[in-house]
Amino acid sequence: MSYPVDSYGQQHQAAPGCPVTGTGAAAVTPLFGTDFAADPHAVYGQLRGTGARAHPVALEPGVHAILVTSYATAREILLSPDFSKDPRHWTDLMRGGLPEDSAVRPMMEWRPNALFSDGHEHQTRRQVIDDVLGKVDLYQLRRFVEEAADELIDAFAPTGRADLMADYARQLPLRVFNRLFGCPEDIGNRLVEGMSALFDGRDPEKSNAIVTQGLLDLVAYKTEQPGSDVTSWILSHPSQAKGEEVIHQIVTLMGAGTEPESNLIGTAALKILADPRFAGHFAGINPPISESINDVLRWDPPLANYGVHYARRTTELHDVVFPTGVPILLSFAAANNDPAEGIAEDQDATHSAHLAWSAGPHQCPAQRQALSIAYTAIERLFKRMPDVRLAVDESTLEWRPGPFHRALKTLPVRFSPRPVHAEPGGFVQGPAGQGPAGPATGSLLYPATPPPPPVTVSPTQKVLNVWLNWWRGDN
């Protein structure tokens, strides 16, 4: 039976020969720094070698948690009412034990949104998200991705080289989400500028202010001039609370749908470029996009370690005792590759076998949209640049440090220079019986009316710190 340490470094009672704690103080494994980022699977393997299902880890110096590497244990926690998503169960946080400038705090502290709530409160907030996402037209979404992809590709096509992370994967989801959220062009441009700068770590205070004010302006504009877009649908939903909670809903959707999406696009593109299993397109065969995406989700999910939970009371599960007050970090990456479950050996496992989308009440509500964006982005890239290839040896690529994500720093490529004019994208087939979709008009587009002047609202800088300061991965 394993007894992980609590967040104060105190060891709970351990059975003799406990593989996690041993004797004396438990060994705490750091999940930060370049060593972990370079080869996290080596760390998971070492932890798994102890025979334990859960392990004491540090998310940053002085911030402790319990990392679950067992597929069965992680899945049961996701499904069990004995574990909560509400960070107000976190003893260190509630006692003021975390500094305000903690790098992991923005990803873990409580906000009034679906991600950090349970029970009826969660169901109400989640229903808003489900209803809103259900209105998104996947045919229009594909068109948005193709248009954004062509704009970005045209910017580097004549040069014969690009960094697919900075120049493509990290910008494309932002542009698409601006369209989905109905941002007027002025506000949309500011959000792209501010979020891109935040992800890059450029002038975070200024960038944070740009994005915060941009979202406030967007909500004010859509309150006055609603349209057929995600922001308007959130604002008009009968179950959506008003005020600051609206901003938290939008930030949650944008944060969860942009940075992880960028990393999924980048890592899946790397698979096609460097993994012999997916390199068929170099022989004139279309790249196996779906296979590469599913491979990333199973082996290197963009959110590698997250799904933070808290035991409502001291709980024993699969011979592990989880104390109250300590963050329980579910390692989707390690669980997906747990040999005890046979997933790692099953090369034919479908995407439903892995936990990259989480499971239970908090399972990702935007799987269809996320897969559509990633697939279309990669498809468009290789269609426009069929001879794209890595510009460096794969072994020299660096990964951004951080305990939660799996994210490339850069992805340098080369290709034959091409004209800036995008090849015609053709029509996207509309719903059955309607033929091809016509010109991109109507729902989910920039309104023709310019936005009103910024309203006088006191910006809550913490709203953006919640997601974006950590999403850029510079801790």
Side-chain angles (χ1 to χ4, degrees):
M1 184 178 296
S2 305
Y3 294 79
V5 295
D6 67 14
S7 52
Y8 295 95
Q10 297 173 336
Q11 185 177 342
H12 293 262
Q13 180 183 2
C18 169
V20 174
T21 58
T23 56
V28 177
T29 301
L31 299 187
F32 53 89
T34 56
D35 289 344
F36 175 72
D39 193 358
H41 285 288
V43 176
Y44 305 145
Q46 291 169 4
L47 294 175
R48 197 178 286 116
T50 66
R53 293 170 174 262
H55 320 268
V57 296
L59 306 182
E60 65 182 7
V63 179
H64 292 169
I66 300 168
L67 184 74
V68 174
T69 55
S70 159
Y71 179 94
T73 305
R75 185 171 178 81
E76 189 157 342
I77 289 173
L78 289 167
L79 300 175
S80 172
D82 294 332
F83 296 87
S84 170
K85 289 282 289 179
D86 192 331
R88 288 173 292 189
H89 290 285
W90 187 4
T91 302
D92 274 2
L93 179 66
M94 301 312 293
R95 292 182 180 176
L98 261 70
E100 288 292 332
D101 61 351
S102 163
V104 301
R105 181 172 185 152
M107 282 283 286
M108 298 176 67
E109 65 183 344
W110 182 84
R111 276 92 57 192
N113 60 27
L115 183 61
F116 293 106
S117 54
D118 303 308
H120 176 72
E121 194 174 57
H122 167 259
Q123 292 173 3
T124 301
R125 290 169 174 159
R126 173 61 183 260
Q127 191 62 55
V128 175
I129 294 173
D130 289 343
D131 291 347
V132 166
L133 292 178
K135 293 184 177 183
V136 173
D137 185 332
L138 292 180
Y139 298 98
Q140 283 279 31
L141 177 60
R142 179 178 175 86
R143 179 180 290 277
F144 293 168
V145 178
E146 289 180 337
E147 291 173 353
D150 282 338
E151 291 172 1
L152 293 169
I153 292 170
D154 281 346
F156 57 73
T159 68
R161 61 178 61 219
D163 174 2
L164 288 185
M165 291 307 299
D167 300 332
Y168 191 70
R170 292 172 69 183
Q171 293 193 49
L172 186 144
L174 291 173
R175 293 178 180 235
V176 171
F177 268 62
N178 278 340
R179 298 288 293 274
L180 285 173
F181 282 76
C183 294
E185 190 168 4
D186 170 63
I187 297 177
N189 289 339
R190 282 189 280 142
L191 287 175
V192 169
E193 173 194 354
M195 286 189 174
S196 295
L198 279 173
F199 294 158
D200 291 337
R202 292 183 279 111
D203 200 347
E205 184 174 352
K206 177 183 177 181
S207 303
N208 191 49
I210 290 173
V211 177
T212 302
Q213 189 60 52
L215 290 176
L216 291 167
D217 291 348
L218 173 61
V219 169
Y221 175 61
K222 285 299 175 181
T223 299
E224 294 296 324
Q225 300 191 44
S228 185
D229 54 71
V230 170
T231 306
S232 299
W233 296 332
I234 290 175
L235 288 167
S236 64
H237 196 285
S239 298
Q240 175 59 55
K242 307 306 179 185
E244 187 175 313
E245 186 170 317
V246 175
I247 301 294
H248 280 285
Q249 286 275 51
I250 295 174
V251 170
T252 300
L253 285 172
M254 281 191 168
T258 52
E259 177 71 4
E261 186 76 47
S262 298
N263 297 330
L264 176 57
I265 293 170
T267 310
L270 173 62
K271 293 276 185 185
I272 295 173
L273 291 168
D275 192 322
R277 294 175 298 154
F278 305 110
H281 73 287
F282 287 116
I285 304 172
N286 289 330
I289 299 171
S290 294
E291 292 85 346
S292 66
I293 290 173
N294 282 333
D295 196 76
V296 170
L297 291 171
R298 185 154 58 97
W299 293 91
D300 279 308
L303 281 180
N305 307 304
Y306 199 43
V308 185
H309 284 69
Y310 304 85
R312 296 180 183 275
R313 62 194 67 81
T314 299
T315 302
E316 180 181 341
L317 183 63
H318 294 169
D319 292 328
V320 178
V321 173
F322 294 97
T324 60
V326 188
I328 303 168
L329 200 67
L330 305 183
S331 179
F332 300 137
N336 289 348
N337 296 282
D338 182 358
E341 301 302 319
I343 295 176
E345 289 77 19
D346 183 4
Q347 296 299 326
D348 296 323
T350 65
H351 68 277
S352 60
H354 62 65
L355 295 177
W357 303 114
S358 190
H362 288 270
Q363 188 171 32
C364 175
Q367 295 180 40
R368 293 177 65 200
Q369 293 85 355
L371 288 171
S372 178
I373 292 171
Y375 185 96
T376 307
I378 298 170
E379 178 187 53
R380 199 66 182 159
L381 174 69
F382 284 99
K383 183 177 181 180
R384 292 283 308 277
M385 304 290 174
D387 65 343
V388 65
R389 59 196 183 279
L390 279 178
V392 298
D393 189 276
E394 182 189 5
S395 64
T396 66
L397 293 173
E398 295 184 31
W399 298 81
R400 286 159 48 196
F404 304 125
H405 61 209
R406 183 65 169 157
L408 282 164
K409 278 189 175 181
T410 61
L411 185 55
V413 295
R414 292 182 179 178
F415 46 85
S416 300
R418 282 174 166 74
V420 296
H421 299 294
E423 61 183 68
F427 289 110
V428 179
Q429 284 294 322
Q434 296 185 17
T441 58
S443 66
L444 299 175
L445 294 178
Y446 289 139
T449 309
V455 294
T456 303
V457 184
S458 175
T460 306
Q461 297 296 334
K462 204 171 187 180
V463 171
L464 264 295
N465 283 331
V466 161
W467 284 102
L468 301 175
N469 276 353
W470 200 90
W471 277 129
R472 48 174 218 263
D474 290 325
N475 61 304

